Amino acid sequence: MAQPRSVAQDHAGAPPDGVALRRALADIAHALHRAEEGIGSVLSLTAAEGTADGLLAALVGSPVAASFSVLRWPQSLLPPLGGPDDLDAVAISLLPLADAPPDEARRDIALAAERGGGDLAGEAVRGLLGLPSLHPLWLGLDGTQRAAFQVEGLTAALLDLCFERPILSVVENAQWTRGLTVPLLDALSNAVDDARLCLLAIRSPVPRGRPDGWEPPGTARRITLPVPTGRPPDVAGPNENEDEDDPRPHAALLGDLRHDRRPGRIEWMTHHAPLAGDWALACASARHAGRRAEADCRPADAVRHYMDALAALDRLPESRRHAQRRIDVWSALARTRPPAGGGATKAAEKALALAEELGDRPRIARALSLLAALRWAGGDLAAARRTGLRALRLWRESQSPGQQVQMLIKLGRGLTEEGRFHHADSVLRAAALATRGETCRLHGPTALAPVCIAAHRARCRAELGDPEEALRLARAALARAEDDGHAASRALACLHLGWAALTAQRYAMAVEPLKQAVAITETIRLHTCQPLVLGALGYALVRTGALNDGASLLLGSREHARMLGIRRHEPQILIWIAKAALLSGQTEDAVRNARDAAEKAVAAGQLGDEAWARLALARGLADQGNITAARQPLDTATRIAAHRSMAPLLGLCTDFRRSVTSD
């Protein structure tokens, strides 16, 4: 391919290191030509501030960039006092692309997001641009879900708008990228290959970025410009030229910030308090900044601030109050660190160890609650149960009803997944009594407490052979969720209404609520529920005669669960796949999937799933003519069903045993 015309050819009089500059401009020009053709890319430019400014000026004023809309997204060490937040600033930067009056431009940008990302992506951008919400599900989303749709909406809007005119997005001082700008840039870099978009990230040669700042992907084109001769390396953000050995300017600035009420002042105080040597204020402001970031669904920022708080605590004298603060910060890190990799669990274990050393029972209970939730999410149901029961005893001793309800629901949910349906039902009934009809939302993008209680009780009652009560509870859960408008609650209630109907063999009744559950989980991207919802609907469709559609959903649900690493849902999905294979005469597939389900259920300690899998395995072996081999899994299924009072399963085992013996 012929080398494109260099931008530098239109700008004579290059600085002393002009060869490197011309080469960089040629590389960027090449990327812009490819972007015009629909092959976008990410460029990572490392350059001193003055050099970068000159290059950018040459680039923007050159003919090669004339057909591009140029978006400049400057990053900074600290948030602008009183200025827009990170994603709000990006959304505002898109308005000139619409080439219309302000109100019309806002609507056009939101429509672009909706076209590319769907209704809720459009709603997210509407909110960022100050427009009122139009979609009923938007109001029922949690903060984490809204943040994800904001990133998705801005990405979709940019990709849609660059069809009309290619876009050059320049991220200046990329080493200071923070907040939700990081996932936005990740999303754009993942989608740029097929777009008329060039993403240029400019960073300082001084390695002083924040640990969670954005790092361009390995596929990015790397360009490094040398520091001009005779100049020291420049700095990459505000406040870096300050003499950090003299605390007086920082102390004076802190005095002004104490009386400032503009957004972002806490982050400024977090930065300047350590430089002023005020470690008590450094700890307090870092914890406050961490809580703000956590509430705004900026977990990486929250982790950074909480780590700053721990560093400040190391400079303060030992005291019981400081020890309690240290425990609280480790607990906060357990909430905000990603579960993958074990960082969250280690933080919770550290909080627990410190709380036990201090003898602080409420903080011990809080750390145990966090550990129970993390162990449940990791699929260690037995450890989650033991940890949760210990936390529950402490919450009862401290007479904390709200915490008791949270823990009772977590325990009931885990016991249900273990197949301890009687125990789970008792625990969930206790939770229902403790709520006394009050609306209580659980932590994270989970259901309202009354909905969660009724939904999981519905599954318990269905497994225990009380189908009418199970359906009543599931319908009550759905009505409560619809009254509140909480989207995740509606999905959970629809799933359990359909599941209760499946257990009661009322297959036609299960289809409609499961279709609703699929629609909601897909719309709000509730990934944790999607595999189970898809599998349940697939099995319901198979049982109502739509074999091909149902089988496709079942196989898709299995792959989705494996892709997301949701191990605890796999046994149930494999059971449905095995039962569907039995109906279509695919006995070899039925035996393989039933055996796989049983092994996975045993490994996870999910005895209820194991029992259903053993019955499916026995049926598959019997259909292959291997009656002798079928007896062992049938005996196991019967024993578990009798021990766990699983009346519907026990009845099916009895009927199957009769049919085998009569043959």
Side-chain angles (χ1 to χ4, degrees), residues 92 106 120 162 191 197 245 247 298 327 353 382 428 517 553 571 598 612 623 625:
I92 292 167
R106 286 182 172 85
L120 294 184
C162 70
L197 174 66
D245 295 326
R298 296 182 281 114
I327 295 164
L428 290 166
L553 282 176
W612 283 103
D623 284 358

Side-chain angles (χ1 to χ4, degrees), residues 108-434:
D108 288 347
I109 300 299
L111 284 172
E114 186 178 323
R115 282 193 300 269
D119 291 348
L120 294 184
E123 283 295 293
V125 174
R126 287 178 64 84
L128 289 171
L129 293 172
L131 297 173
S133 174
L134 299 177
H135 199 291
L137 277 181
W138 179 256
L139 298 176
L141 296 183
D142 292 285
T144 303
Q145 293 166 323
R146 290 190 180 197
F149 277 113
Q150 287 172 345
V151 169
E152 186 174 334
L154 288 173
T155 303
L158 268 166
L159 295 176
D160 184 88
L161 291 165
C162 70
F163 279 112
E164 297 180 13
R165 188 179 184 190
I167 294 173
L168 169 62
S169 295
V170 183
V171 184
E172 301 169 64
N173 288 322
Q175 72 276 2
W176 297 123
T177 309
R178 63 174 175 272
L180 295 174
T181 305
V182 175
L184 172 64
L185 294 175
D186 283 337
L188 285 171
S189 63
N190 289 332
V192 75
D193 288 351
D194 301 318
R196 301 178 74 203
L197 174 66
C198 186
L199 190 60
L200 173 61
I202 303 176
R203 55 198 311 112
S204 164
V206 182
R208 289 190 183 180
R210 48 172 54 92
D212 54 318
W214 186 62
E215 189 63 40
T219 55
R221 173 82 170 95
R222 311 275 169 170
I223 305 168
T224 301
L225 290 179
V227 176
T229 307
R231 278 186 52 188
D234 67 286
V235 295
N239 302 311
E240 283 199 46
N241 275 328
E242 295 169 335
D243 182 1
E244 296 187 1
D245 295 326
D246 179 7
R248 284 175 295 178
H250 301 286
L253 183 55
L254 282 174
D256 294 337
L257 288 169
R258 288 176 188 273
H259 305 289
D260 199 311
R261 290 295 177 265
R262 287 175 292 176
R265 76 182 182 97
I266 296 300
E267 284 78 3
W268 282 65
M269 293 175 74
T270 301
H271 173 74
H272 288 285
L275 300 176
D278 191 336
W279 298 108
L281 180 59
C283 174
S285 58
R287 291 178 64 202
H288 190 168
R291 287 192 292 268
R292 272 171 47 91
E294 196 176 344
D296 292 342
C297 304
R298 296 182 281 114
D301 286 354
V303 168
R304 175 164 49 83
H305 290 310
Y306 289 138
M307 293 302 294
D308 288 344
L310 285 177
L313 281 166
D314 289 340
R315 301 294 194 105
L316 292 169
E318 292 293 332
S319 71
R320 182 175 179 83
R321 188 67 194 101
H322 288 158
Q324 290 173 328
R325 291 188 175 105
R326 191 179 296 276
I327 295 164
D328 292 343
V329 173
W330 279 110
S331 296
L333 284 168
R335 291 194 305 270
T336 49
R337 279 179 168 167
T345 299
K346 288 175 183 174
E349 289 171 344
K350 179 71 172 178
L352 177 60
L354 291 173
E356 288 177 331
E357 183 181 327
L358 196 64
D360 190 318
R361 297 175 76 81
R363 285 177 170 80
I364 293 172
R366 191 174 298 118
L368 286 168
S369 300
L370 284 165
L371 265 180
L374 289 166
R375 286 170 176 167
W376 173 80
D380 194 346
L381 299 179
R385 169 171 39 86
R386 291 191 298 270
T387 308
L389 285 169
R390 189 179 165 204
L392 182 61
R393 285 193 293 271
L394 290 172
W395 288 129
R396 281 175 171 161
E397 288 173 12
S398 64
Q399 297 183 340
S400 303
Q403 295 290 350
Q404 282 185 55
V405 169
Q406 299 269 348
M407 201 66 250
L408 285 166
I409 292 171
K410 289 175 185 175
L411 269 176
R413 178 186 59 191
L415 289 165
T416 302
E417 291 190 358
E418 281 191 276
R420 301 171 181 269
F421 300 111
H422 258 312
H423 191 181
D425 192 42
S426 300
V427 167
L428 290 166
R429 276 191 284 113
L433 290 172

Side-chain angles (χ1 to χ4, degrees), residues 460-598:
C460 292
R461 298 315 308 172
E463 295 280 5
L464 294 169
D466 192 353
E468 298 307 325
E469 176 65 2
L471 293 170
R472 185 195 69 78
L473 284 163
R475 290 187 183 111
L478 181 55
R480 183 64 181 266
E482 287 176 339
D483 284 346
D484 186 84
H486 187 229
S489 295
R490 287 177 58 195
L492 185 77
C494 286
L495 166 63
H496 281 77
L497 178 54
W499 203 342
L502 289 178
T503 307
Q505 300 184 41
R506 302 182 190 183
Y507 303 114
M509 182 188 294
V511 172
E512 189 52 39
L514 290 173
K515 282 184 176 179
Q516 290 182 42
V518 167
I520 295 169
T521 54
E522 286 183 348
T523 302
I524 69 173
R525 312 288 198 273
L526 191 59
H527 300 299
T528 52
C529 271
Q530 278 183 314
L532 204 55
V533 166
L534 289 169
L537 178 58
Y539 183 60
L541 290 174
V542 166
R543 296 304 305 233
T544 52
L547 296 177
N548 291 336
D549 290 346
S552 177
L553 282 176
L554 280 166
L555 295 176
S557 72
R558 179 186 63 190
E559 294 310 311
H560 202 36
R562 289 177 179 174
M563 180 183 70
L564 294 173
I566 307 176
R567 296 193 301 270
R568 63 184 185 278
H569 290 174
E570 277 197 78
Q572 178 61 72
I573 292 168
L574 290 167
I575 291 163
W576 284 327
I577 291 173
K579 290 164 84 171
L582 285 171
L583 290 171
S584 58
Q586 298 172 329
T587 54
E588 191 174 322
D589 284 349
V591 168
R592 185 180 67 255
N593 284 295
R595 187 172 280 126
D596 193 13

